[in-house]
DNA sequence: CGGGATCGATACCCGCGCGGTATCGCTGCC
DNA sequence: GGCAGCGATACCGCGCGGGTATCGATCCCG
């Protein structure tokens, strides 16, 4: 199976429309059915059900869509990492670290400082990214190492080292009645009148249904809370970034959040190893 | 990057010899340097250092070797899983479970029995495999689910669910002086006179240096121990399989072994889900 | 119920590129 | 210095991927 065939199939499977898929691939429409048929012959499996009007995935087709995406990502990762390795060899070493924008900033600062003090430190480019974006960056080779938060980020498929564990706090507008409490329970804050929990986009970019505001960044969320339009349960480490217009109260029964440093398995980069070692020693 | 190019490069990188690589690939020699050069141009990276006598990998080349192997495995996995899904759709559903030959046999029996009693159970083909082979089977799509043993098997890249934790015991020939003890320490048994620890093959198939006998299977190992030629530290669960010519003594400071059921991430198979659920309820 | 619009499939052609054979050129070794 | 081994090059043929033109089926709309 060639990556070209896979790319074609994934495009058609995603669009469920040969014409649009061809447009997306930058080719004419006729080669597409041919390529897919050939793929089906080679695999001995029907991938698409076509009528002259519509295209749907078969069971095998949806398996190939999932697995094929992963395989294409692996190929692209190989390509990118090779390019980066070549760049590094010709005098521009460096690692790319991905982390959630607005999270763990003080841990991150400590890590960068400590690593920079190492004798064989290289440049660390920090990639601040949106929710759930880091895993993709790590998988497709755009990042070499990332700070992830269990249990929110999927850490399967990566090697990880735990860095710290935090309890969670509910972040409220300053002056809210609950801010006087020393601690609360989850149930007390999930349905506060007028302060719904925000909705984060899922991996597919869509938002779940619910009353809360749609948010994409931490800064945006904190602003919404300050305005008295929402509240949120966040790791304790965010407290340091809260301004005077926000208050935090520990939530006793919320799951603890573990910050981990993660890197792709079989990464042999000296720089990544050094960064990980520095991180675990903090 | 096409998988053909990747396959070519991996072959050359592994053989470090264009002629042998061509032979292995079943093509003539001339297309190979051309394909590799084209790949190098496309990547903008030197992958191989060639003299007219020898070939060596550059830094970027060894990165592409590692990453390319993983990518090829992902592509092959996609292919195999699609074929299996198509087979399953045409009336032959079933899952393949990989487990170490000779390990966890009683846990495995319980699992298979319990799962077979489920209303929507499908055929479970059990693949007994050698040391370290399961991860590969799981990755390349030959198996759908596996029983692994932490910390010996690499579980990164998989979703896992813990099933049980065992202490470890040292297995000795019956009548050995230590068999009278209620427990021992690791240090007491790693260098017993005349009873060296066996050597298992590494991921590359070679054996580490050392005094112990080279073993590849549990049965072989148990026989060697019964003959008084070796001893071994194994999970407690192996006790049930020991005949009268063998004895086991708990090793207090050996790491505990966790048996986990593992499956590839984003596996959506109903059968795998059922198997996992059954396993966790045992 | 018929005609146009839409979309996948087919027919056919062209040109690139992959793979083959023959051969060269360099290097290390006896 | 001659031979053997190995990678690189030259050159050729054909298969296949991609293009244009067109067909044929289905849905929609009046």
């Amino acid at each position: 199976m060639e990556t070209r065939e896979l790319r074609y199939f994934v495009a058609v499977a995603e669009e469920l429309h040969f014409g649009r898929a061809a447009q997306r691939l930058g080719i004419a429409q006729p080669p597409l059915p041919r390529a897919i048929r050939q793929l089906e012959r080679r695999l001995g499996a029907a991938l698409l059900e076509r009528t002259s009007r519509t295209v749907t995935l078969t069971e095998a087709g949806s398996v190939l869509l999932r697995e094929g995406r992963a395989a294409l990502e692996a190929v692209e990762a190989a390509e990118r990492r090779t390019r980066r390795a070549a760049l590094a060899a010709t005098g521009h070493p460096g690692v790319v670290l991905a982390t959630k924008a607005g999270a763990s900033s003080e841990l991150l600062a400590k890590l960068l400082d400590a690593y920079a003090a190492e004798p064989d430190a290289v440049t660390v480019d920090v990639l601040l990214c949106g929710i759930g974006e880091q895993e993709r960056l790590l998988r497709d080779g755009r990042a070499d190492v990332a700070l992830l938060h269990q249990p929110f980020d999927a850490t399967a498929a990566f090697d990880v080292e735990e860095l710290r564990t935090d309890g969670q706090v509910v972040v409220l507008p300053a002056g809210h009645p609950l801010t006087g409490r020393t601690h609360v329970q989850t149930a007390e804050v999930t349905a506060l009148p007028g302060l719904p929990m925000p909705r984060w986009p899922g991996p597919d970019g869509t938002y779940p249904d619910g009353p809360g505001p749609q948010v994409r960044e931490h800064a945006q969320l904190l602003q919404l809370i300050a305005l008295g339009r929402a509240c949120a349960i966040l790791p304790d480490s965010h407290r340091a970034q809260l301004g005077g217009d926000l208050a935090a109260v520990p939530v006793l029964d919320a799951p603890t959040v573990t910050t981990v440093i993660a890197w792709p398995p079989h990464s042999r980069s000296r720089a990544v190893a050094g960064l990980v070692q520095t991180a675990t020693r903090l």
Side-chain angles (χ1 to χ4, degrees), chain A:
Chain A
M1 209 166 38
E2 292 302 313
T3 61
R4 183 182 47 79
E5 303 175 288
L6 257 186
R7 270 189 287 266
Y8 284 10
F9 172 75
V10 168
V12 174
E14 284 179 355
E15 300 285 346
L16 290 177
H17 189 294
F18 280 79
R20 278 196 301 273
Q23 196 172 355
R24 207 175 93 182
L25 292 165
I27 63 170
Q29 174 261 342
L32 265 184
R34 253 189 357 220
I36 304 285
R37 279 207 181 281
Q38 177 175 337
L39 189 56
E40 287 179 316
R41 267 203 312 273
R42 280 225 275 259
L43 291 174
L47 302 172
L48 302 173
E49 301 277 0
R50 310 102 140 130
T51 72
S52 66
R53 299 294 295 174
T54 78
V55 177
T56 56
L57 282 174
T58 65
E59 198 57 39
S62 67
V63 168
L64 185 59
L65 176 56
R66 276 204 316 273
E67 301 283 334
R69 273 180 185 146
L72 285 178
E73 252 177 9
V75 171
E76 281 162 30
E79 206 166 326
R80 249 186 286 266
R81 293 212 175 97
T82 306
R83 284 215 180 85
R84 287 182 43 75
L87 267 178
T90 61
H92 187 295
V95 284
V96 177
L97 183 149
T99 185
K100 247 177 229 119
S104 323
S105 56
E106 132 270 0
L107 175 65
L108 177 60
K110 271 202 290 187
L111 171 58
L112 293 179
D113 281 352
Y115 177 68
E118 292 283 314
D120 53 356
V122 300
T123 315
V124 178
D125 293 318
V126 177
L127 218 53
L128 297 170
C129 44
I131 308 299
E133 210 184 331
Q134 314 162 70
E135 299 133 51
R136 161 188 291 268
L137 292 176
L138 213 49
R139 256 183 291 128
D140 72 10
R142 268 190 276 260
D144 302 304
V145 59
L147 294 177
L148 299 179
H149 295 87
Q150 280 169 336
F152 302 130
D153 301 319
T155 56
F158 301 127
D159 286 347
V160 298
E161 201 68 59
E162 295 192 4
L163 296 184
R164 61 187 284 171
T165 331
D166 285 306
Q168 294 201 76
V169 296
V170 58
V171 180
L172 298 161
H176 187 277
L178 280 179
T179 57
R181 300 273 292 275
T182 59
H183 57 264
V184 295
Q185 301 287 323
T186 309
E188 297 179 78
V189 295
T190 45
L192 288 175
L195 291 183
M197 307 288 284
R199 288 175 291 147
W200 296 99
D204 55 352
T206 64
Y207 291 85
D209 291 335
Q214 299 182 352
V215 297
R216 292 182 4 91
E217 299 180 9
H218 270 83
Q220 185 187 1
L221 170 61
L222 296 182
Q223 198 169 1
L224 277 168
I225 300 175
L227 291 171
R229 307 291 291 270
C231 72
I233 294 182
L234 298 176
D236 190 52
S237 56
H238 285 77
R239 270 180 135 150
Q241 311 160 41
L242 301 183
D245 47 0
L246 294 173
V249 180
V251 181
L252 290 190
D253 60 341
T256 59
V257 175
T258 305
T259 304
V260 303
I261 186 164
W263 63 99
H266 59 23
S267 161
R268 288 282 154 76
S269 149
R270 294 218 6 85
V272 168
L275 207 51
V276 170
Q277 203 174 17
T278 305
T280 56
R281 276 201 299 247
L282 281 181

